[in-house]
Amino acid sequence: SAVISQKPSRDICQRGTSLTIQCQVDSQVTMMFWYRQQPGQSLTLIATANQGSEATYESGFVIDKFPISRPNLTFSTLTVSNMSPEDSSIYLCSVDQQGEKLFFGSGTQLSVL
Amino acid sequence: SQQGEEDPQALSIQEGENATMNCSYKTSINNLQWYRQNSGRGLVHLILIRSNEREKHSGRLRVTLDTSKKSSSLLITASRAADTASYFCLGTSGSRLTFGEGTQLTVNP
């Protein structure tokens, strides 16, 4: 199993500012996934972050809005840039184990005023 | 997209009753997994069923998979108030991971 420490757990931000979310994993993993969960909705994959290469973004998500860093095999950050109220969501990082089950951080609940 | 669809979207039962949730998907999968989410926090993996399996049990959980119908069901037996949560199915196909819409289960004491 993998244990993921995600922070912050929640934040309230002003429109136009940026927030960086961090995820630290207790073991080395190849891929890390970043998800967004809008209120009352399911999880939508934002991007897949591989160490040593550019993140792969899903349709509808762009690097300028959601830059991702993956400096090593245990750490990643997601930045939500130039925030608007529409960005209010829960953001979750996850890793997979042997390409099968996913382990999740506890999530970051973001509210943008 | 192989986005899964769960039904029902919401389910309310009494403690002790069984809860059944269904998931349908559109494309071929390698495996299908069920996750639980409490109060909008991180998801917890419950059970995984591979594409060559038809049924699997884990404690009070029973999951079935019908690849011909591209559907799966999750049964929670003898439900408890602590089972109140959102339940999501996840289909995996290679590196593609797509969550279903989720079922909000409420178990009333």
Side-chain angles (χ1 to χ4, degrees):
Chain A
S1 65
V3 177
I4 304 173
S5 174
Q6 181 174 346
K7 57 182 180 181
S9 59
R10 62 177 64 236
D11 207 341
I12 301 172
C13 301
Q14 295 296 321
R15 181 194 298 261
T17 63
S18 298
L19 175 72
T20 295
I21 302 166
Q22 300 180 2
C23 275
Q24 178 76 50
V25 189
D26 69 343
S27 58
Q28 294 185 339
V29 293
T30 304
M31 291 194 292
M32 292 182 72
F33 305 96
W34 286 98
Y35 286 89
R36 181 176 74 183
Q37 185 178 28
Q38 294 178 303
Q41 302 296 313
S42 183
L43 283 75
T44 300
L45 182 63
I46 298 172
T48 302
N50 292 326
Q51 193 269 336
S53 63
E54 293 284 332
T56 302
Y57 288 83
E58 298 298 309
S59 176
F61 298 97
V62 295
I63 187 171
D64 289 346
K65 176 68 175 177
F66 297 101
I68 288 171
S69 78
R70 186 80 203 276
N72 56 54
L73 291 173
T74 64
F75 187 78
S76 180
T77 68
L78 169 77
T79 298
V80 186
S81 303
N82 188 24
M83 288 183 286
S84 66
E86 292 72 33
D87 294 319
S88 297
S89 292
I90 297 170
Y91 292 85
L92 298 130
C93 63
S94 73
V95 302
D96 69 1
Q97 184 180 49
Q98 298 174 337
E100 294 193 336
K101 64 174 71 173
L102 295 178
F103 295 91
F104 284 84
S106 55
T108 296
Q109 189 153 6
L110 172 61
S111 297
V112 184
L113 305 179
Chain B
S1 167
Q2 60 173 20
Q3 178 132 11
E5 298 178 358
E6 276 120 335
D7 74 86
Q9 291 187 333
L11 179 62
S12 181
I13 59 174
Q14 295 300 124
E15 208 164 25
E17 294 180 341
N18 296 340
T20 300
M21 291 161 270
N22 303 298
C23 168
S24 60
Y25 55 93
K26 295 190 172 92
T27 61
S28 298
I29 57 172
N30 295 334
N31 63 60
L32 189 133
Q33 303 171 46
W34 286 89
Y35 289 80
R36 166 195 167 123
Q37 182 182 39
N38 289 353
S39 302
R41 307 308 289 174
L43 280 71
V44 175
H45 181 269
L46 294 176
I47 193 166
L48 178 153
I49 186 165
R50 302 185 192 283
S51 60
N52 61 353
E53 297 176 313
R54 292 296 167 258
E55 185 172 315
K56 203 161 184 181
H57 297 254
S58 176
R60 293 185 296 115
L61 305 178
R62 172 179 169 249
V63 64
T64 63
L65 180 65
D66 187 335
T67 53
S68 66
K69 296 180 180 177
K70 292 187 169 56
S71 67
S72 174
S73 68
L74 174 67
L75 168 68
I76 303 175
T77 61
S79 63
R80 305 166 182 167
D83 293 328
T84 295
S86 293
Y87 292 83
F88 295 91
C89 67
L90 170 68
T92 66
S93 176
S95 60
R96 295 290 301 172
L97 307 169
T98 308
F99 279 93
E101 294 299 317
T103 294
Q104 172 61 49
L105 173 66
T106 301
V107 181
N108 301 300

